[in-house]
Amino acid sequence: MAEDSAQSGGAPIRRGPYISMITNRTMNLLIRAAMLFMVGVFLALVLNLLQVQRNVTLFPPDVITSIFSSAWWVPPCCGTAAALIGLLYPCMDRRLGEPHKLKREWSNVMRCVAVFVGINHASAKVDFANNVQLSLTLAALSVGLWWTFDRSRSGFGLGVIIAILATLATQLLVYNGVFQYTSPDFLYIRSWLPCIFFAGVITVGNIGRQLALYEYKVSQEKTHQD
């Protein structure tokens, strides 16, 4: 009988190379998802702190229990969304066969994160003449972030779709009294919110792509060593 078959004497069943490859891919996927989740939680805590300090968003007093003045469910939701988006972007790149036009480096990813935090900071602390001016400015900054750090059609399309879905979900939460905006000007929410969502999707997508690229380089190096 073949070596990989089970022996009556209780000898362990050896895994073939295909099973090992699937196991490694699954483990790497889980590691990437966990890292993206932590990134999403961190960004949610920092960015929501800016919004609450500026009184852009208001939570009921009984749910403000953490040192970051954030409802407990916000960071886990943002972490889960970040994990899904960060895994979806490199998957779409492989499916569509669209090469990345910009050089991928962690320094670029960090700059992208810094610009995203700056956009959110501007939405919370910079005073504009009116909401239309603020929304147009943030829209231009968000598109500029995509052009500077992404430039892919799949990235832009996914960013728009996810931003629309996230905006609709936020409207439902506000409508049901989970939290509220101090000066809503667009169906219970602020009109600039889709721009923040779009910039966040592009940022998390870039982080997911960089993690996938790093995983690929490590696997290639192991293959060459073997």
Side-chain angles (χ1 to χ4, degrees):
M1 297 178 64
E3 291 182 2
D4 290 341
S5 61
Q7 303 293 330
S8 58
I13 301 176
R14 298 197 316 175
R15 294 187 304 175
Y18 179 77
I19 300 298
S20 299
M21 180 179 64
I22 295 298
T23 303
N24 291 335
R25 285 182 178 178
T26 302
M27 183 59 64
N28 291 334
L29 192 68
L30 292 175
I31 293 174
R32 275 195 287 146
M35 295 179 68
L36 289 164
F37 179 85
M38 290 187 291
V39 169
V41 169
F42 174 77
L43 290 176
L45 292 173
V46 173
L47 301 181
N48 195 62
L49 176 62
L50 292 175
Q51 300 288 344
V52 172
Q53 283 183 338
R54 188 66 173 179
N55 290 326
V56 176
T57 56
L58 295 176
F59 291 92
D62 56 335
V63 301
I64 303 180
T65 56
S66 72
I67 60 175
F68 295 99
S69 297
S70 172
W72 67 268
W73 50 267
V74 173
C77 289
C78 292
T80 302
L84 294 175
I85 294 169
L87 295 177
L88 180 61
Y89 261 71
C91 180
M92 290 296 296
D93 290 340
R94 289 193 298 268
R95 293 288 184 181
L96 298 177
E98 184 177 11
H100 202 271
K101 299 177 181 179
L102 302 177
K103 189 176 181 180
R104 296 187 183 180
E105 293 180 346
W106 279 112
S107 58
N108 286 336
V109 174
M110 293 299 101
R111 284 194 291 268
C112 183
V113 173
V115 172
F116 171 58
V117 174
I119 292 175
N120 196 283
H121 183 79
S123 70
K125 294 197 172 184
V126 178
D127 294 323
F128 287 82
N130 51 62
N131 288 326
V132 174
Q133 183 181 0
L134 173 60
S135 300
L136 292 177
T137 301
L138 293 182
L141 291 174
S142 299
V143 174
L145 182 143
W146 166 79
W147 179 257
T148 304
F149 300 104
D150 192 322
R151 297 189 190 181
S152 66
R153 290 173 297 178
S154 60
F156 186 86
L158 282 174
V160 171
I161 293 172
I162 296 175
I164 293 174
L165 294 177
T167 302
L168 293 176
T170 304
Q171 287 180 341
L172 290 175
L173 292 175
V174 174
Y175 179 78
N176 288 287
V178 178
F179 68 98
Q180 63 181 351
Y181 286 90
T182 52
S183 301
D185 61 318
F186 178 69
L187 297 177
Y188 309 109
I189 63 173
R190 301 297 292 270
S191 57
W192 44 259
L193 191 61
C195 303
I196 299 297
F197 284 140
F198 176 83
V201 170
I202 298 300
T203 301
V204 174
N206 277 338
I207 296 175
R209 283 169 167 163
Q210 190 65 30
L211 288 174
L213 179 63
Y214 177 78
E215 175 189 318
Y216 174 77
K217 289 182 177 179
V218 171
S219 63
Q220 289 295 106
E221 290 178 358
K222 288 183 178 180
T223 301
H224 292 315
Q225 290 176 358
D226 293 339

